[in-house]
Amino acid sequence: MKVVALVSGGKDSCYAMMKAIHYGHEIVALANLMPLDDSVDELDSYMYQTVGHQIIVRYAECMGLPLFRRRIQGSSRHQELGYKETQGDEVEDLCILLREVKRQIPSVSAVSSGAIASDYQRLRVESVCSRLGLVSLAYLWKQDQSLLLQEMITNGIVAVTVKVAAMGLDPAKHLGKELAFLNAYLHKLKELYGINVCGEGGEYETLTLDCPLFSNARIVLDEYQVVMHSSDSIAPVGILHPLAFHLENKADVQYLKSQDKIHESFTQKLGSVFEVQDSVEGCEATCKPVDYRADPINDIEHKFNISRTNNKGTFSICFWLQDSCNGLQEDLKIVLGKIESQLLGLGFGWENVLYIHLYIDDMNNFSEANETYVKFITQEKCPFGVPSRSTVEMPLIEMGFSRAYIEVLVANNKDKKVLHVQSISSWAPSCIGPYSQATLHEGILHMAGQLGLDPPTMNLCKGGPGVELEQALKNSEAVAKCFNCSITTSAIAFVIYCSKHISLLERLDIQEKQETILRQMKISHLQERTTYKALDPLFLYVLVPDLPKRAYVEVKPILYVEDDTDVAFEVVTERFCLETPPSYWGFKPENWHDSCTQKCVISGKTCAIILSITSELAAKICFDSLPAEYVNNGQHSLPKAHMEKISKFCIYLLDKVMTDDDFAWEDIMSLRFYIPVSLQMSVQLLQPMFCNALFELSEMSQKKLKTGEEPIFNIVPVIGSGRSASSMDDVVTCELMAQKS
């Protein structure tokens, strides 16, 4: 991509440019914001470094690039973490500046910035980029600061301190000193006082005088004055005011490879400086999202299938169309519109949605599906954060579904914490658009489906399914760390979607890799922590037709994030009970029942269950009356009577497992029955079976289950599913998540 680089003069923005070039991008212009008054060194700004702004003008000549500058008119008016367009805010100056760069150089498609740890700054750059249709590049984001500082020095960043404001830093001693000289001392201050060695806490600011990008000349600071802002005895604050400097031409001019290609149409202006004035048009988004609403006639023209769980706190709603002859986009538009109207009817909106499962019938149409999706779920509609998402191709048409099938997890409050990083970085894959990496709500971290993407390039890792899985788990761990947890100790469950294009041998490799990687991560995590308490997560493997980007695997972790209270962690397959459990439909407790289930219980809070019915277990349930050839390969259809019995057994066993741990059907947040298409049973046939089983359980047990007009479960069509990657051939797999409301 062609990139305009935000430069403050500091080490971070310069090194961010170097990283952008390293990852194949091309810097075509520089952009800088400076004080309204030239005599002012530093502004009271949460966004911009301005100390040393007098020297930035020479960066254009040093790099042979056009420099666009704007004087800061606004102030920090919108000081909340998440930013929305605010007239008179200093962020709008950045928007005007970048809009002008884009107008003069239309090929610009990305913005580079040196954000390392400040969500405040990153979110504002992302907001501006989103409005202007630009991609944010933040290659220093979340990097280890000690390693990063050493990288900068090793890779030729020559920068001096121009501001110090921390315990242990003396303006008289440390201003004007090079980073290489201060490196060891900064690490000593980190040990003594816990400072950020890269100055991310405002401890110091720098001015880059030379770096490999300065191909024409370096800057020599001849004379400067130390100006004291505070003479505090503990942490005095001083800045460096440059009085005289000059450029020193480089004898051995070495142009970067990318320099040869710098937008030929702009060649005559290389090294020039342009001051961007106020814009009459203001800073408006290049395109406004269309606010789609459900068409009232849809309820007449289309028959909807709706399911909803009964948890009063967090519940799932699932929608799909029956007998639809539409294309994917039209189906998705109708379904999303219906969900929106249903949410409004309940007094909710998209801001209450925590997670979205998007199932489509053909991954070749993913871009069209996404185009429709982003017209409904927007950041404007979700001021508390957009929901996380997983997108998977499923064999929908084969089982009687429409081309779009959506499940949303909804909370009755807005007490959620959302991680939505849209910048491309080395940290974890970006989410450019209205979907987040993870959403935390009432102790449960719902993580978006993670592919094996190399974060800085956003390309799938090469090397096959095992390599992709390893990267997907690393990406998941990076996201988990942002919530002070780990997938090795906090995971309740992993759902691992596997493409049908993976061979059986590769599936075995996936499972072995997954176990090895998580074990290694756990060892590393233990070495970092003095205390240890971990869940033993559940695993569910789902075989699907295709995944985004033609990936081999997609990992979807669900984590429990501890609060300050003590909780009991438990993973159990058997529980001793003095009372004889009730018997329904003639099913009585048997020793082999334990082999059907895994469960992860956080006492009094959350219960997760995976129930796996293999063909062998199906034969036992049906009293060994299944055909021998079905038991052997599990690829043949079942008689309806047998499937009815299996559905009742699933409900019976789920009821028993939940009851053992004091959970009820009303606590269920989500319940999915994964059914393979090889059974040759339509959803229209399967859904009544499970509905009848629940109704009969309610009648027999007198539990007064709400079985109303809408099912409390979703049927998800798959190629196969199971508890191991090597044998995804269950007749039925149940995935249940319950939480006390």
Side-chain angles (χ1 to χ4, degrees):
M1 289 187 286
K2 294 187 186 298
V3 179
V4 54
L6 298 179
V7 290
S8 63
K11 65 188 188 318
D12 303 337
S13 58
C14 287
Y15 194 56
M17 284 193 286
M18 291 175 65
K19 297 292 279 188
I21 292 171
H22 172 76
Y23 288 115
H25 303 293
E26 181 184 347
I27 308 297
V28 298
L30 308 175
N32 168 254
L33 287 131
M34 57 183 177
L36 195 61
D37 185 345
D38 283 334
S39 65
V40 173
D41 285 297
E42 184 179 41
L43 294 177
D44 183 19
S45 169
Y46 292 107
M47 273 292 291
Y48 312 119
Q49 172 188 323
T50 57
V51 179
H53 67 85
Q54 301 90 343
I55 294 177
I56 304 301
V57 68
R58 308 308 293 271
Y59 275 31
E61 189 175 343
C62 289
M63 294 182 65
L65 290 174
L67 169 65
F68 294 81
R69 307 189 81 188
R70 174 172 169 79
R71 297 185 183 276
I72 301 167
Q73 313 285 324
S75 57
S76 303
R77 294 194 175 187
H78 186 96
Q79 296 181 9
E80 296 173 15
L81 183 60
Y83 181 76
K84 62 181 179 181
E85 186 175 347
T86 303
Q87 188 175 4
D89 193 278
E90 60 186 353
V91 174
E92 300 310 307
D93 290 301
L94 174 62
C95 193
I96 293 168
L97 175 64
L98 291 179
R99 189 175 64 82
E100 179 61 18
V101 174
K102 190 176 178 183
R103 188 187 70 81
Q104 291 203 37
I105 313 177
S107 60
V108 165
S109 58
V111 176
S112 168
S113 67
I116 297 176
S118 171
D119 282 304
Y120 184 93
Q121 293 174 346
R122 174 185 61 78
L123 287 166
R124 278 152 177 75
V125 172
E126 289 177 354
S127 172
V128 170
C129 285
S130 177
R131 288 153 63 187
L132 296 176
L134 296 167
V135 175
S136 171
L137 304 177
Y139 283 118
L140 310 189
W141 181 250
K142 291 288 183 184
Q143 298 302 291
D144 180 277
Q145 292 189 39
S146 293
L147 296 177
L148 190 56
L149 183 61
Q150 186 58 55
E151 267 187 45
M152 292 180 188
I153 295 168
T154 302
N155 286 288
I157 296 285
V158 178
V160 297
T161 51
V162 290
K163 178 182 178 180
V164 294
M167 191 180 299
L169 289 176
D170 184 342
K173 292 180 182 178
H174 300 121
L175 278 175
K177 296 296 186 292
E178 287 190 15
L179 277 180
F181 174 80
L182 290 174
N183 188 15
Y185 185 64
L186 290 171
H187 280 86
K188 182 180 178 181
L189 294 183
K190 178 189 176 184
E191 293 177 8
L192 290 173
Y193 310 121
I195 75 160
N196 296 279
V197 294
C198 279
E200 278 298 285
E203 293 89 345
Y204 69 92
E205 291 177 0
T206 60
L207 179 68
T208 302
L209 302 179
D210 193 15
C211 74
L213 300 181
F214 289 10
S215 53
N216 296 333
R218 63 178 62 88
I219 299 168
V220 178
L221 186 59
D222 298 312
E223 188 179 354
Y224 63 83
Q225 174 187 4
V226 173
V227 179
M228 296 299 296
H229 276 205
S230 167
S231 299
D232 185 270
S233 58
I234 297 174
V237 179
I239 64 170
L240 180 153
H241 175 74
L243 298 174
F245 64 93
H246 71 276
L247 296 189
E248 186 177 274
N249 291 332
K250 293 187 175 180
D252 54 340
V253 176
Q254 295 290 333
Y255 286 95
L256 297 172
K257 290 182 180 179
S258 61
Q259 288 278 355
D260 297 333
K261 304 175 184 176
I262 293 178
H263 43 284
E264 292 78 2
S265 63
F266 210 77
T267 303
Q268 72 277 12
K269 297 180 181 178
L270 294 183
S272 301
V273 179
F274 305 89
E275 185 165 331
V276 177
Q277 305 296 330
D278 285 342
S279 170
V280 176
E281 300 173 27
C283 185
E284 297 179 354
T286 54
C287 57
K288 293 281 186 181
V290 179
D291 187 11
Y292 276 93
R293 296 282 176 179
D295 188 343
I297 200 170
N298 287 339
D299 288 338
I300 301 171
E301 292 181 345
H302 300 282
K303 185 176 180 182
F304 290 94
N305 193 287
I306 305 171
S307 65
R308 179 183 168 188
T309 58
N310 296 320
N311 190 308
K312 293 179 180 178
T314 308
F315 56 92
S316 63
I317 305 178
C318 185
F319 284 85
W320 51 273
L321 294 171
Q322 286 183 214
D323 307 319
S324 172
C325 298
N326 303 314
L328 174 60
Q329 275 191 303
E330 184 63 20
D331 272 358
L332 188 56
K333 177 183 173 182
I334 294 167
V335 170
L336 284 167
K338 183 66 175 177
I339 292 174
E340 189 171 86
S341 64
Q342 286 286 312
L343 289 171
L344 289 171
L346 295 169
F348 300 140
W350 290 113
E351 69 269 22
N352 293 92
V353 176
L354 307 174
Y355 202 95
I356 296 178
H357 285 87
L358 174 59
Y359 302 130
I360 59 178
D361 75 315
D362 188 350
M363 198 55 70
N364 289 316
N365 298 325
F366 174 75
S367 58
E368 289 87 347
N370 209 42
E371 182 183 322
T372 303
Y373 179 94
V374 300
K375 290 172 181 175
F376 282 88
I377 296 95
T378 65
Q379 294 179 35
E380 290 73 24
K381 292 179 183 178
C382 304
F384 304 99
V386 288
S388 301
R389 186 181 83 178
S390 174
T391 305
V392 180
E393 179 181 324
M394 293 295 191
L396 301 175
I397 303 301
E398 293 92 320
M399 282 186 63
F401 291 88
S402 54
R403 297 185 183 279
Y405 175 16
I406 292 183
E407 178 190 335
V408 296
L409 187 65
V410 186
N412 68 358
N413 58 45
K414 298 168 185 174
D415 300 332
K416 63 180 181 180
K417 181 180 179 183
V418 171
L419 178 67
H420 184 201
V421 179
Q422 298 183 73
S423 300
I424 294 177
S425 69
S426 299
W427 160 73
S430 64
C431 288
I432 302 173
Y435 39 92
S436 301
Q437 280 90 353
T439 302
L440 176 64
H441 180 258
E442 295 185 351
I444 305 296
L445 185 64
H446 306 274
M447 199 179 294
Q450 292 289 331
L451 302 178
L453 294 173
D454 176 44
T457 63
M458 291 297 287
N459 294 325
L460 281 172
C461 291
K462 295 179 180 179
V467 176
E468 283 190 23
L469 176 72
E470 182 174 3
Q471 187 62 53
L473 290 171
K474 286 180 180 178
N475 294 340
S476 300
E477 180 69 356
V479 173
K481 283 184 176 179
C482 293
F483 293 88
N484 298 314
C485 63
S486 168
I487 61 171
T488 63
T489 57
S490 302
I492 296 170
F494 290 91
V495 178
I496 302 175
Y497 298 108
C498 300
S499 167
K500 70 176 182 181
H501 302 295
I502 303 175
S503 68
L504 179 58
L505 190 62
E506 288 171 324
R507 290 183 210 167
L508 291 169
D509 180 55
I510 281 178
Q511 186 149 352
E512 186 178 332
K513 268 276 181 71
Q514 164 254 307
E515 292 169 357
T516 302
I517 294 163
L518 290 179
R519 184 168 58 249
Q520 290 171 344
M521 282 185 177
K522 186 175 285 189
I523 291 170
S524 175
H525 187 76
L526 280 172
Q527 290 171 345
E528 295 174 4
R529 303 291 179 105
T530 54
T531 58
Y532 174 70
K533 184 163 57 173
L535 293 166
D536 191 2
L538 314 181
F539 288 90
L540 171 60
Y541 294 85
V542 181
L543 192 62
V544 300
D546 206 355
L547 293 166
K549 292 182 176 284
R550 297 291 183 266
Y552 286 119
V553 292
E554 179 176 325
V555 178
K556 189 187 69 169
I558 303 169
L559 282 68
Y560 175 74
V561 180
E562 291 184 73
D563 54 22
D564 296 330
T565 60
D566 291 330
V567 295
F569 290 174
E570 181 181 15
V571 179
V572 191
T573 54
E574 184 177 1
R575 176 184 290 269
F576 178 73
C577 188
L578 292 175
E579 295 183 11
T580 303
S583 171
Y584 304 123
W585 299 293
F587 296 124
K588 296 181 180 179
E590 302 277 357
N591 290 334
W592 61 269
H593 288 181
D594 296 332
S595 66
C596 299
T597 59
Q598 306 171 79
K599 69 177 178 181
C600 180
V601 178
I602 299 167
S603 185
K605 293 194 174 186
T606 301
C607 174
I609 302 170
I610 301 291
L611 191 158
S612 182
I613 306 298
T614 63
S615 53
E616 290 81 4
L617 292 175
K620 286 188 177 184
I621 294 165
C622 297
F623 304 107
D624 300 312
S625 58
L626 287 174
E629 64 270 18
Y630 174 81
V631 175
N632 289 333
N633 58 34
Q635 296 300 311
H636 295 270
S637 61
L638 274 172
K640 180 182 176 184
H642 290 162
M643 192 62 199
E644 286 178 339
K645 194 158 192 177
I646 291 170
S647 67
K648 290 174 181 178
F649 178 78
C650 290
I651 298 301
Y652 158 76
L653 201 52
L654 288 174
D655 182 70
K656 178 183 180 300
V657 175
M658 283 195 296
T659 302
D660 283 350
D661 290 284
D662 196 29
F663 283 86
W665 290 91
E666 289 74 20
D667 297 323
I668 292 176
M669 292 194 298
S670 62
L671 173 58
R672 303 181 191 96
F673 293 103
Y674 295 92
I675 309 290
V677 290
S678 60
L679 290 184
Q680 300 175 29
M681 290 188 173
S682 69
V683 63
Q684 288 81 6
L685 181 65
L686 289 164
Q687 195 174 69
M689 291 184 187
F690 288 98
C691 285
N692 290 338
L694 281 163
F695 177 76
E696 289 177 19
L697 175 69
S698 178
E699 292 289 305
M700 291 186 292
S701 64
Q702 298 182 335
K703 290 187 178 181
K704 296 183 181 177
L705 264 106
K706 268 177 135 182
T707 55
E709 308 139 0
E710 302 162 354
I712 64 169
F713 58 86
N714 305 329
I715 290 176
V716 182
V718 295
I719 295 176
S721 59
R723 284 165 24 181
S724 74
S726 59
S727 57
M728 291 182 275
D729 53 7
D730 285 0
V731 176
V732 181
T733 309
C734 310
E735 180 194 1
L736 182 150
M737 178 70 71
Q739 186 177 40
K740 296 286 187 183
S741 56

